[in-house]
Amino acid sequence: MAPKVAIGAYVYRVQVRKVRDYTALSFSEDDLGLKLRQAFLDFTHKFSEPEDKESTNRRWYFSEMEQEGSGYQGTVEYGRTGFSSRLIDLTSRQVQYERVASDLDFIPLFNRFWVPDEYEFGLWVFQSFSGYSCNALMLDDFARFWRSRYETTRLAVSAVLPEELKQVREAPEKAVVLKTKTGGGAIADRQLGVNHEDAGISFEISARGRDDFGTFGSLKRRFTGKQLDEAMEMDGILFEDAQAKVKINGRTRRVTLAGTGSMNALIDLSRDVKTSAGTGHPTKPSISAAFDEIVKDVVVGMLE
């Protein structure tokens, strides 16, 4: 059986703001929520086929979308071109296909666009698959699409971080992992007898048994503001990233405490969704249910 690949979700807060003073508008005013949903539906029709863009080697298009509550959900096909590779059958060890740089491969990615009428914000949730995600491309294209229709307003989009989810904030903290990509040369030499100047360091502090270090939300405060430098330094070593291991629904998840990594906004769903045995991709009912929980959790957290 092939190993299960990493599956995650990026969540973005979507608002409509005035160009002049950047005031956020309520979706209940002037049927704004309806206009935003209609614009998105028209957007899906416009991008129902991959567009040729000389500025990038990436392509995407909507292959299947359906109405879901106060919005839409469905599948986007995303692919890249510009490189060669070989596809090998793991059983026979034979080359099945020689990919050339002009080939374009597509993989399905689920997304949910949710816009209620009663709030000043909506949510757009994008699936990632083994590092593949086209959220940035789609967000840019939709912002331009909206601007072409409504010149006096702009779409304002911001990433929803994992700690904004209520279940993450209230989850028990089981361990903290501090990491740095450099600075481990002397330690490698002393402990391993290996001269490796570029060695990194990973240091874990874990609670024993059923104990924990409190909730993620309480520990997160230690890694912000004036306390951050103190929390990220140990015995003269300045760590670059800090991750927490938290227990959610009986499963351990890693959530960023501090650092500048580009994956800070990624919510890991690898253990929460079922995948098809034939394709390795998430089944539609499974990924849809996972997105339901994310939307509910984010809304609860933002309205508290």
Side-chain angles (χ1 to χ4, degrees), residues 1 29 67 83 92 127 141 162 201 224 239 245-246 248 250 296:
M1 179 182 295
E29 298 179 10
Q67 188 168 1
F83 60 93
S92 66
Q127 179 208 334
D141 286 337
I201 303 172
T224 57
F239 291 94
K245 291 184 177 180
V246 298
I248 299 177
K296 292 176 184 177

Side-chain angles (χ1 to χ4, degrees), residues 192-266:
L192 307 177
V194 177
N195 185 5
H196 201 310
E197 295 182 358
D198 294 330
I201 303 172
S202 179
F203 182 78
E204 180 170 327
I205 309 168
S206 58
R208 298 182 61 183
R210 296 184 178 181
D211 290 340
D212 57 62
F213 297 127
T215 65
F216 176 87
S218 62
L219 193 62
K220 175 69 177 177
R221 289 191 287 272
R222 168 73 172 166
F223 288 84
T224 57
K226 296 180 179 179
Q227 301 182 82
L228 176 60
D229 290 342
E230 183 179 343
M232 297 292 283
E233 184 176 355
M234 182 187 69
D235 295 336
I237 300 173
L238 182 61
F239 291 94
E240 299 169 344
D241 294 285
Q243 291 183 327
K245 291 184 177 180
V246 298
K247 278 284 187 179
I248 299 177
N249 296 327
R251 296 170 178 171
T252 300
R253 288 187 181 181
R254 288 198 178 207
V255 184
T256 297
L257 279 166
T260 57
S262 61
M263 302 301 285
N264 288 357
L266 182 65

Side-chain angles (χ1 to χ4, degrees), residues 12-17 24-28 32-33 36 70 114-124 156 158 160 295-296 298-304:
Y12 291 88
R13 184 185 298 104
V14 180
Q15 293 180 299
V16 177
R17 294 179 176 269
L25 301 175
S26 172
F27 292 158
S28 63
L32 183 58
L36 186 53
S70 298
W114 177 79
V115 176
D117 290 325
E118 62 269 29
Y119 303 141
E120 291 184 353
F121 69 90
L123 297 173
W124 200 350
S158 57
V160 175
V295 169
K296 292 176 184 177
V298 172
V299 171
V300 169
M302 292 180 65
L303 296 181
E304 283 185 337

Side-chain angles (χ1 to χ4, degrees), residues 14-302:
V14 180
Q15 293 180 299
V16 177
R17 294 179 176 269
K18 294 181 180 179
V19 171
R20 178 172 297 181
D21 57 9
Y22 215 57
T23 301
L25 301 175
S26 172
F27 292 158
S28 63
E29 298 179 10
D30 195 27
D31 292 327
L32 183 58
L34 177 62
K35 292 177 181 177
L36 186 53
R37 290 192 297 271
Q38 182 61 50
F40 181 80
L41 181 60
D42 295 342
F43 179 66
T44 65
H45 294 156
K46 174 179 172 58
F47 286 86
S48 60
E49 294 182 358
E51 288 194 344
D52 290 330
K53 294 184 177 181
E54 296 181 357
S55 60
T56 178
N57 67 336
R58 299 187 292 167
R59 305 286 188 275
W60 71 271
Y61 68 96
F62 290 101
S63 61
E64 178 189 6
M65 293 297 292
E66 63 184 11
Q67 188 168 1
E68 172 63 27
S70 298
Y72 298 90
Q73 68 173 15
T75 303
V76 169
E77 298 287 337
Y78 171 65
R80 297 182 294 187
T81 186
F83 60 93
S84 63
S85 63
R86 293 188 301 163
L87 302 182
I88 300 176
D89 185 284
L90 289 177
T91 302
S92 66
R93 305 294 180 178
Q94 299 296 312
V95 176
Q96 300 297 300
Y97 180 72
E98 292 272 3
R99 174 190 170 123
V100 297
S102 59
D103 285 341
L104 178 62
D105 64 340
F106 281 106
I107 62 171
L109 297 173
F110 199 74
N111 79 113
R112 166 81 59 81
F113 185 79
W114 177 79
V115 176
D117 290 325
E118 62 269 29
Y119 303 141
E120 291 184 353
F121 69 90
L123 297 173
W124 200 350
V125 190
F126 299 86
Q127 179 208 334
S128 71
F129 183 83
S130 189
Y132 279 75
S133 181
C134 58
N135 45 306
L137 285 175
M138 294 177 65
L139 288 168
D140 287 344
D141 286 337
F142 188 49
R144 283 192 292 268
F145 184 82
W146 176 268
R147 191 163 58 245
S148 69
R149 288 193 169 190
Y150 302 100
E151 296 180 353
T152 61
T153 60
R154 293 290 185 269
L155 285 183
V157 179
S158 57
V160 175
L161 300 179
E163 59 262 31
E164 296 185 63
L165 276 68
K166 183 179 181 182
Q167 66 170 345
V168 173
R169 289 201 309 273
E170 297 179 353
E173 187 94 28
K174 299 296 293 181
V176 174
V177 181
L178 303 174
K179 292 183 177 183
T180 179
K181 295 180 181 179
T182 59
I187 295 175
D189 187 24
R190 182 177 67 244
Q191 302 298 128
L192 307 177
V194 177
N195 185 5
H196 201 310
E197 295 182 358
D198 294 330
I201 303 172
S202 179
F203 182 78
E204 180 170 327
I205 309 168
S206 58
R208 298 182 61 183
R210 296 184 178 181
D211 290 340
D212 57 62
F213 297 127
T215 65
F216 176 87
S218 62
L219 193 62
K220 175 69 177 177
R221 289 191 287 272
R222 168 73 172 166
F223 288 84
T224 57
K226 296 180 179 179
Q227 301 182 82
L228 176 60
D229 290 342
E230 183 179 343
M232 297 292 283
E233 184 176 355
M234 182 187 69
D235 295 336
I237 300 173
L238 182 61
F239 291 94
E240 299 169 344
D241 294 285
Q243 291 183 327
K245 291 184 177 180
V246 298
K247 278 284 187 179
I248 299 177
N249 296 327
R251 296 170 178 171
T252 300
R253 288 187 181 181
R254 288 198 178 207
V255 184
T256 297
L257 279 166
T260 57
S262 61
M263 302 301 285
N264 288 357
L266 182 65
I267 300 171
D268 183 20
L269 299 177
S270 302
R271 297 184 179 182
D272 299 324
V273 298
K274 296 179 180 179
T275 57
S276 168
T279 67
H281 291 284
T283 63
K284 182 177 178 179
S286 178
I287 191 72
S288 178
F291 278 25
D292 277 341
E293 291 302 314
I294 289 174
V295 169
K296 292 176 184 177
D297 202 354
V298 172
V299 171
V300 169
M302 292 180 65

